[in-house]
Amino acid sequence: MDIKSVGVIGAGQMGNGIAHVFAVAGFDVMMTDISQDALDQAMALIRRNLERQVSREKISREDMETAMARITTTLKLPELGQTDLVIEAATERETVKSAIFEDLQPHLKPETILTSNTSSISITRLASRTDRPERFMGFHFMNPVPVMQLVELIRGIATDEATYKTLLGVVEKLGKTAASAEDFPAFIVNRILMPMINEAVYTLYEGVGSVRSIDESMKLGANHPMGPLELADFIGLDTCLAIMNVLHDGLADTKYRPCPLLTKYVEAGWLGRKTQRGFYDYRGEVPVPTR
């Protein structure tokens, strides 16, 4: 199938990045959210990020304006039904995602492909609640979307070959690299990354090291660009906890048990950068460890 138009559900951190890269690659994009403020903020952020690309001579100013013109916004989810490809990038809760697909289903074209940007939830299970499991896939972008090169493509048990090949072509057109993953909890990246972050939190919880010493050790000792606790704050501690719970529930192995300290931070509402506090406090000029 030739994909020309794309619907993006959710204007948050992932949704606006996805809209950005598709518009730059020449697709018509319609982005929706339940809040007009969220849509306005997303459009402003996309413009700022495109301006940054212009200043670094990655794209021309003309390319920027053309990309911005390709993005439209709406508060009405049914309007996305006429797009060729739908990418759901709502909050990482299965009930929310399933309800979105259920509301959208009556308005879809027969040939529209449905995808979810979920980082851990079963694609087979999400697909089974739609009228087109053969045209449903996991389409997992990395954050920040305009910068990160990888896209995980996850086939559910019913996904057909034509859908997979179509999305492989879309990833190529975006100038990114696809990694094909099987539909098991957290796929590839988060199956490996989240237990590492969780172990870093256990290391802090057990008093083996401080926030700063843990992050410095991994940056200078393993050549990681960000320490695991700094990265957890960037991702969102609620997202990290949700993925660890999916791993723990889905694989029934105690090695995936979320650290109690991670749970405690989420209970406190200290979710990282987005709430100004997590393993670091971001309310001053320089981030300060909170433990």
Side-chain angles (χ1 to χ4, degrees):
M1 182 180 171
D2 190 19
I3 305 293
K4 291 190 169 67
S5 58
V6 180
V8 178
I9 302 169
Q13 198 172 34
M14 296 304 292
N16 73 65
I18 292 167
H20 171 145
V21 298
F22 271 91
V24 169
F27 296 89
D28 293 325
V29 180
M30 183 178 284
M31 181 167 55
T32 187
D33 201 281
I34 54 172
S35 153
Q36 186 60 50
D37 278 352
L39 289 170
D40 293 343
Q41 285 172 25
M43 291 300 284
L45 182 58
I46 290 168
R47 181 169 282 280
R48 284 201 301 278
N49 288 337
L50 285 167
E51 288 274 11
R52 193 176 294 122
Q53 287 183 309
V54 170
S55 69
R56 291 175 181 168
E57 299 184 346
K58 302 266 180 166
I59 61 171
S60 68
R61 184 155 294 279
E62 187 184 350
D63 289 339
M64 181 190 99
E65 294 302 342
T66 304
M68 286 301 299
R70 287 194 186 108
I71 306 172
T72 56
T73 63
T74 179
L75 291 170
K76 297 172 183 171
L77 180 65
E79 289 186 11
L80 269 63
Q82 293 309 299
T83 58
D84 301 327
L85 168 66
V86 172
I87 305 167
E88 171 275 313
T91 187
E92 191 69 357
R93 290 211 305 273
E94 189 168 343
T95 50
V96 172
K97 293 177 185 296
S98 292
I100 286 168
F101 287 125
E102 189 179 330
D103 290 347
L104 184 60
Q105 191 166 289
H107 309 283
L108 292 169
K109 296 190 296 185
E111 65 274 17
T112 297
I113 293 174
L114 292 180
T115 67
S116 175
N117 183 56
T118 180
S119 51
S120 61
I121 296 165
S122 167
I123 298 304
T124 298
R125 202 162 57 235
L126 285 173
S128 72
R129 294 171 189 150
T130 73
D131 65 346
R132 60 196 67 209
E134 71 286 350
R135 283 195 298 285
F136 193 108
M137 277 193 73
F139 207 23
H140 182 215
F141 289 82
M142 307 296 132
N143 186 32
V145 181
V147 175
M148 301 297 274
Q149 284 301 301
L150 188 75
V151 182
E152 280 184 314
L153 289 181
I154 307 102
R155 279 183 274 206
I157 199 167
T159 306
D160 65 25
E161 189 65 16
T163 298
Y164 170 71
K165 287 198 167 153
T166 297
L167 290 191
L168 210 51
V170 168
V171 174
E172 199 174 305
K173 195 170 177 186
L174 293 176
K176 296 190 180 292
T177 301
S180 298
E182 293 302 316
D183 186 23
F184 289 100
F187 320 131
I188 296 171
V189 172
N190 284 317
R191 171 78 177 264
I192 297 166
L193 176 65
M194 286 303 157
M196 186 197 76
I197 287 174
N198 195 50
E199 196 61 31
V201 183
Y202 267 116
T203 307
L204 178 65
Y205 177 60
E206 292 166 8
V208 180
S210 66
V211 169
R212 202 177 290 287
S213 66
I214 291 165
D215 277 351
E216 288 299 309
S217 294
M218 293 309 291
K219 283 195 281 191
L220 302 180
N223 207 26
H224 289 192
M226 292 171 83
L229 301 175
E230 185 186 0
L231 180 57
D233 276 358
F234 180 74
I235 294 166
L237 303 194
D238 51 341
T239 301
C240 293
L241 179 60
I243 295 169
M244 285 311 300
N245 280 326
V246 166
L247 280 165
H248 192 228
D249 295 346
L251 298 169
D253 191 324
T254 55
K255 74 178 180 180
Y256 299 115
R257 184 171 69 98
C259 180
L261 184 60
L262 178 60
T263 303
K264 194 61 65 184
Y265 267 75
V266 173
E267 286 173 348
W270 291 18
L271 308 181
R273 284 180 177 272
K274 62 187 171 187
T275 59
Q276 296 292 293
R277 272 191 294 191
F279 292 112
Y280 293 86
D281 189 325
Y282 299 92
R283 292 174 298 175
E285 282 186 27
V286 178
V288 178
T290 54
R291 282 179 91 80

